[in-house]
Amino acid sequence: MHSVECEDVWMIYRSLFSEKVALKEVNLKIPRNKIYGILGPNGAGKTTLISLMATLLRQTRGRIEVLGYDTISEFREIRKRINIASGNPNLIWSLTVYENLRYYSLLYGINDRKAVEELIKEFELEEFRDVEFNKLSTGSKQKLILARAFVNNPELVFLDEPTKGLDPPVARRLREKIRFLQKDLGITIVLTTHYMSEAEMLCDRITFINRGKIVAEGTKEELKRLLKMRDKITIEIEGIVPDLRLEGVFAVERDGNQLSFYVDSAEARLWEIAKEVARFGRIKNISVKEVDLEDVFNELAK
Amino acid sequence: MSSTNLRSEIYKTIGFTYRNYIITKRNFFTLFETLFWPIIGLISVGLMGAYLNLDKNYLAFILIGAVTLSVLQVSQLDVAYVLLFDMWSKSLRYTFVTPISIFNMIFGAWFFGAFRGLVAFLILVVSGKFLFDLNLLIDPVGLFIFLLGIFLSAMIIGTLTCSLLLIFGYRAEVSAWTLTAIFMLLCGIYYPVTLLPPGLREMAYAIPLTHFLEFYRSFYGFSPSTNNPALIGYSLSFLFLILLFLTLMWASDRARKRGTVTQFSE
C-alpha cells in the first residue's frame, strides 16, 4: 500500500468573479517509508498539493487516499496519523516552546508531559523551553515547528519548504535531522523545496510540478535519464557563437561568453562540440560535470 | 464511544481551555477585559442611577443589565478568540490539521470563557453590594439558571463570530466586539423590550438573552412578558446552537474548498 495515492486530482479556487486552476490531472503514488520530494517553480501548485494531502484543502475533482483513507470522507482518521510543518514558522506568539508542544499534543488527544519534554530534548530546544515563540530566533522557531510535527508520532509528515530562510549551517543541521528522523522512525516524509541541493540530499523519489501539472516523476537517476541528460559541458570562448545544432546535445544555455551543452555523454560528444565551437573564436576554458537536479529542474520548468 | 476515545476527546477540548488560559494569564489586555471594564461599567451605570434617584428595584433593573453586558462580553470573547488567536498568529493550519472537531474547539474555549465570566461576575457581586447595596444573590437557583443562560448566549455569539470569520475572513473580525452590543441593545439592557418599536420587539423575543434577563429581573418585582422565560430562553438557546454548529461545520468545509485555512496561515 502507498502512503498517498492521487487519482485525477483537480483543484480550482473559485471566488465570486474568478476561477483559478491550481492543479490539474494530478496522478501520483507516494511510496511508504521514503522521503518524497515535490519540486517546482513558484506558484506551480506544490503547497496546494501538499495541503490537499494534509486535508487542509478539499479537491474540486478526483480522489486522494492518504494511508488508505479518503481525504474527503475520512479526513479525521487521516489527521490522527499525519502532521505538517511549514517554512513559514508561525505558532501562537505568547506560548512558550513547552506550552506550544503541550497544547498541540492535547489537540491530538495526548496528555503526556514526559513525551513533550523528550521532544524538546530531541530537537535541542532545552535552553528555550520557557521562551515565548515570538522571542525565538528563526532557526529555533523552525526547530519548534518541526518538533510540533512529531507530537502525535505520525506515520506521514508533510514538510512545506522546511529550511526556507534559514542560515546554511542551520539548514544543513535541520536536513540531517529530517533524514535521521525518517530513518529512525521509519516514517514517510513528503517535502516541497526550492533548494535542489536539499532535494538531492534528502529525497528518495521526486515529482516535478509545473503550472499545476506533474511533468515528471522518479528517482534522481530516473529523472536525469528521462531527459537523456547525463553531462554538462561548459565552454568559455572569446567570440560570438551562433545557434548550433549538434547531435547528442539536448539543450544549450548561454551566459555571456559561456556556453553550456547538456549531452547524453560528454565522452562521446566533447571533441565534436569543442571543434565546432572553436570555429567561432578561441576557447578559454572547458569544464565537464555530471548533470545535477538543478539542471533537470531548469529544463523541466521551461 | 470507548473510554480511550472519550478521554482523547476530553484532552482535545481541554487543549483549547489550556491555550486560552495561558494567553489570558500572559496578556495584560485580556486581564483588563476581565477586571477593569466590568467594574467601570457597573460604577458608571450605578452612579447614573443614583443621580436619577432611582428606587432600589429600578436600580437593580439597570445594574443587572450592566452586569449581564460585562459577563456576556468577557465570556463570549474567549469563544470568538478561539479562531482569532490562530488567525492573528497565522497558525490556523496547525490547528486545522489536528483531528479536532468544532465541538472540541468551541466547548474548550467556552469552558474558560465561562470561568472568566464567573470571575467577572463575582467581582461585580462584591462591587455591586459594596457600592450600591445591590443584592445579586437574591435567589441562588435562579441565579444559576440566569448565569448559565448568559454563558449559553456567550457560546451563541462566539460560535456566530467563528462562522463569520471562516466565511468572511478578517472583515468579520469586528463582530467579536460588536455582536454583544447589538444583542444587548435588542435584549433590553437598561429598559424593557416592550419599549422597542414593532419589528425590533419581535426580534428581541427571538433572542434567548431577552428571556434570561426577564427571568432574573422577575426576582426584583418586574413581571416577565411570558409565563416561563427561563424555559423559553433555554429552548431558543439550544435551537440557536444547533443551527450555529451546523453553520460552523458548513463554514469549515467551505474553508477547505476555498483554501481559506491555508490563506490565513500565510
Side-chain angles (χ1 to χ4, degrees):
Chain A
M1 191 169 58
H2 291 90
S3 279
V4 181
E5 287 191 53
C6 298
E7 214 179 281
D8 190 30
V9 172
W10 288 67
M11 183 65 200
I12 303 169
Y13 291 110
R14 290 196 175 105
S15 66
L16 211 54
F17 305 108
S18 65
E19 202 174 270
K20 191 193 159 215
V21 180
L23 289 176
K24 51 192 168 188
E25 294 168 42
V26 171
N27 289 291
L28 192 64
K29 284 182 178 169
I30 297 180
R32 280 191 183 245
N33 310 331
K34 301 268 182 219
I35 299 187
Y36 193 91
I38 299 174
L39 272 64
N42 276 335
K46 304 184 297 288
T47 301
T48 299
L49 183 57
I50 222 169
S51 300
L52 282 170
M53 294 175 193
T55 76
L56 289 168
L57 288 176
R58 193 179 155 155
Q59 68 269 27
T60 316
R61 204 191 301 165
R63 185 177 156 75
I64 305 174
E65 261 190 21
V66 175
L67 303 168
Y69 296 100
D70 183 81
T71 52
I72 292 181
S73 57
E74 298 167 303
F75 64 91
R76 209 153 280 136
E77 286 304 314
I78 295 171
R79 287 176 183 178
K80 285 180 196 168
R81 295 165 173 82
I82 64 156
N83 214 321
I84 192 167
S86 159
N88 295 325
N90 296 317
L91 290 179
I92 301 285
W93 304 319
S94 53
L95 265 59
T96 63
V97 167
Y98 172 83
E99 287 160 354
N100 261 305
L101 292 174
R102 174 120 175 84
Y103 161 60
Y104 285 107
S105 62
L106 283 168
L107 295 197
Y108 282 95
I110 303 162
N111 180 27
D112 189 345
R113 290 186 175 88
K114 210 174 139 209
V116 170
E117 298 289 2
E118 276 167 15
L119 214 51
I120 289 172
K121 208 170 148 194
E122 173 73 49
F123 283 84
E124 295 156 16
L125 286 161
E126 295 109 310
E127 65 175 299
F128 309 109
R129 184 191 180 277
D130 299 316
V131 177
E132 288 174 33
F133 182 76
N134 59 345
K135 290 175 187 155
L136 293 171
S137 67
T138 313
S140 301
K141 280 181 181 170
Q142 202 53 47
K143 270 190 200 170
L144 174 58
I145 293 277
L146 201 60
R148 196 215 68 89
F150 289 87
V151 291
N152 59 325
N153 300 315
E155 293 169 48
L156 169 61
V157 176
F158 297 99
L159 303 177
D160 190 9
E161 302 191 30
T163 57
K164 192 169 125 186
L166 295 182
D167 294 337
V170 181
R172 187 173 45 79
R173 280 204 298 276
L174 215 59
R175 281 178 201 130
E176 282 163 6
K177 188 83 197 167
I178 292 167
R179 178 45 95 188
F180 169 78
L181 286 168
Q182 190 276 327
K183 284 233 182 316
D184 192 40
L185 304 170
I187 57 170
T188 309
I189 291 179
V190 178
L191 95 115
T192 70
T193 180
H194 266 109
Y195 306 120
M196 295 307 128
S197 56
E198 184 165 291
E200 194 114 41
M201 176 188 166
L202 290 176
C203 300
D204 300 303
R205 285 187 82 82
I206 289 164
T207 190
F208 275 99
I209 184 165
N210 196 11
R211 296 187 193 96
K213 273 193 98 160
I214 288 178
V215 287
E217 200 273 341
T219 62
K220 283 164 271 187
E221 291 313 311
E222 282 169 353
L223 287 169
K224 288 173 195 171
R225 269 204 304 276
L226 181 80
L227 295 177
K228 294 178 184 159
M229 288 166 33
R230 267 186 49 209
D231 297 318
K232 181 180 176 182
I233 301 169
T234 305
I235 302 178
E236 207 182 327
I237 182 171
E238 282 174 351
I240 297 160
V241 182
D243 286 342
L244 297 173
R245 278 169 197 266
L246 298 166
E247 202 192 332
V249 177
F250 299 104
V252 183
E253 265 174 18
R254 268 171 206 278
D255 183 10
N257 287 339
Q258 198 169 286
L259 290 163
S260 295
F261 298 86
Y262 292 93
V263 295
D264 49 359
S265 160
E267 210 177 21
R269 309 291 175 197
L270 178 61
W271 173 244
E272 200 58 37
I273 292 171
K275 204 169 77 177
E276 192 62 24
V277 170
R279 285 173 49 214
F280 302 99
R282 193 173 72 86
I283 292 175
K284 283 170 73 183
N285 191 22
I286 295 181
S287 65
V288 175
K289 79 171 184 80
E290 205 179 314
V291 161
D292 60 22
L293 212 49
E294 184 141 11
D295 301 316
V296 177
F297 175 82
N298 288 335
E299 193 57 27
L300 286 166
K302 277 178 189 167
Chain B
M1 191 185 273
S2 71
S3 67
T4 318
N5 278 351
L6 179 67
R7 208 177 308 139
S8 165
E9 290 307 309
I10 292 170
Y11 291 146
K12 288 177 199 172
T13 307
I14 289 174
F16 290 100
T17 316
Y18 172 77
R19 185 185 70 168
N20 281 22
Y21 160 69
I22 301 280
I23 293 172
T24 303
K25 190 176 79 169
R26 204 153 285 153
N27 192 336
F28 186 67
F29 179 67
T30 49
L31 278 175
F32 222 60
E33 280 166 0
T34 317
L35 306 173
F36 184 74
W37 293 121
I39 293 177
I40 292 290
L42 185 86
I43 293 174
S44 54
V45 172
L47 288 176
M48 182 182 69
Y51 173 68
L52 296 173
N53 214 10
L54 296 178
D55 78 17
K56 209 175 169 184
N57 282 352
Y58 277 103
L59 186 64
F61 185 97
I62 59 164
L63 285 177
I64 285 171
V67 169
T68 307
L69 174 66
S70 295
V71 175
L72 181 70
Q73 180 69 338
V74 166
S75 314
Q76 74 86 21
L77 275 177
D78 268 285
V79 187
Y81 281 175
V82 76
L83 273 186
L84 275 172
F85 283 141
D86 272 323
M87 285 168 69
W88 289 329
S89 58
K90 298 186 186 296
S91 60
L92 200 61
R93 82 172 81 187
Y94 294 121
T95 299
F96 273 69
V97 84
T98 64
I100 52 133
S101 68
I102 58 155
F103 300 103
N104 301 128
M105 195 168 80
I106 297 293
F107 278 95
W110 180 72
F111 287 143
F112 190 67
F115 170 74
R116 272 217 300 158
L118 192 64
V119 170
F121 178 76
L122 292 174
I123 291 166
L124 293 174
V125 167
V126 176
S127 318
K129 182 72 189 163
F130 179 70
L131 297 169
F132 305 107
D133 196 26
L134 169 71
N135 181 13
L136 279 169
L137 307 173
I138 197 164
D139 182 293
V141 179
L143 178 65
F144 176 78
I145 293 170
F146 174 57
L147 271 181
L148 191 61
I150 299 177
F151 296 149
L152 282 179
S153 297
M155 193 193 281
I156 289 171
I157 298 173
T159 311
L160 177 59
T161 307
C162 289
S163 305
L164 294 174
L165 284 167
L166 282 181
I167 298 168
F168 300 108
Y170 289 108
R171 279 171 293 172
E173 204 178 27
V174 70
S175 57
W177 302 281
T178 52
L179 277 177
T180 306
I182 296 168
F183 265 59
M184 288 306 292
L185 188 76
L186 283 172
C187 296
I189 174 170
Y190 303 125
Y191 40 82
V193 284
T194 44
L195 276 188
L196 292 170
L200 284 184
R201 200 183 309 151
E202 282 71 33
M203 276 173 75
Y205 283 124
I207 298 172
L209 195 59
T210 305
H211 303 279
F212 293 127
L213 276 167
E214 285 200 346
F215 167 75
Y216 204 61
R217 280 166 173 164
S218 70
F219 291 101
Y220 294 85
F222 299 93
S223 6
S225 41
T226 52
N227 282 337
N228 201 336
L231 185 67
I232 295 172
Y234 277 103
S235 307
L236 282 171
S237 297
F238 291 121
L239 181 70
F240 268 92
L241 283 172
I242 291 167
L243 289 175
L244 282 168
F245 280 136
L246 289 172
T247 309
L248 188 55
M249 278 192 239
W250 169 81
S252 309
D253 194 48
R254 184 179 177 274
R256 272 184 77 197
K257 279 187 202 159
R258 296 202 168 206
T260 316
V261 173
T262 45
Q263 259 171 35
F264 289 149
S265 310
E266 281 157 11

